[in-house]
Amino acid sequence: MTLPGNPPVPTELVHHIGIAVVDLTSSMDFYHELFGLEPGPIIVRDDIKVRGCFISVGETNLELLQGTDPGSMISEHISRSGEGHHVCFEVGEVAEKLKSLEALGIPLLGKVPRGGLMGGQIGFLDSAAAGGVLIELAQHNH
């Protein structure tokens, strides 16, 4: 892929690496017991049918996500592909970035940002855009 001009989504931070899991508690225990990492509090978001937590690893985070309903995006992902991952880049103005990417013909999983587990606004590139890697763009109020 060759894009004209400046990068349409400049970033300097991987905010988190998201991991869809079947059992949040077991996954939290795994990262704690194997690496000594301390999971943050469990966050439940009934509006998006997800429960999860963040685990700080230096300058970035692991985001463990478990669906709370068979129809949640996380549960559907796991039933299709098994437990998996995405990479989240911190950017400014997610809505503008999604419009720019759409104009460049980059496939998206929605043209309008939505709320993420940690709050803030998020949007996703279709995994086909990055050779099978799901990429999330996020704008958090730090």
Side-chain angles (χ1 to χ4, degrees):
M1 170 186 306
T2 303
L3 299 175
N6 294 325
V9 189
T11 187
E12 295 181 5
L13 176 67
V14 172
H15 184 271
H16 66 263
I17 299 168
I19 305 170
V21 301
V22 172
D23 184 328
L24 180 61
T25 302
S26 293
S27 296
M28 291 168 66
D29 290 344
F30 172 82
Y31 288 99
H32 176 71
E33 291 170 12
L34 189 64
F35 299 108
L37 300 171
E38 292 296 331
I42 293 175
I43 303 166
V44 178
R45 290 283 306 275
D46 292 327
D47 58 326
I48 57 175
K49 301 174 184 158
V50 170
R51 65 191 288 262
C53 76
F54 287 87
I55 302 173
S56 293
V57 185
E59 295 290 318
T60 194
N61 297 283
L62 297 179
E63 177 190 40
L64 305 180
L65 299 160
Q66 176 184 349
T68 59
D69 181 270
S72 76
M73 286 179 55
I74 299 300
S75 298
E76 289 176 354
H77 169 81
I78 289 173
S79 69
R80 264 192 328 273
S81 306
E83 293 179 300
H85 62 86
H86 69 267
V87 177
C88 175
F89 293 95
E90 183 76 26
V91 301
E93 305 300 328
V94 171
E96 289 179 21
K97 299 299 190 275
L98 293 174
K99 286 179 188 175
S100 295
L101 292 171
E102 181 184 21
L104 290 168
I106 306 294
L108 305 172
L109 294 181
K111 299 175 184 180
V112 178
R114 59 181 179 259
L117 183 66
M118 187 184 264
Q121 295 292 297
I122 64 171
F124 289 90
L125 280 66
D126 189 298
S127 59
V133 176
L134 184 61
I135 294 179
E136 176 182 358
L137 306 178
Q139 176 184 350
H140 295 97
N141 299 324
H142 297 278

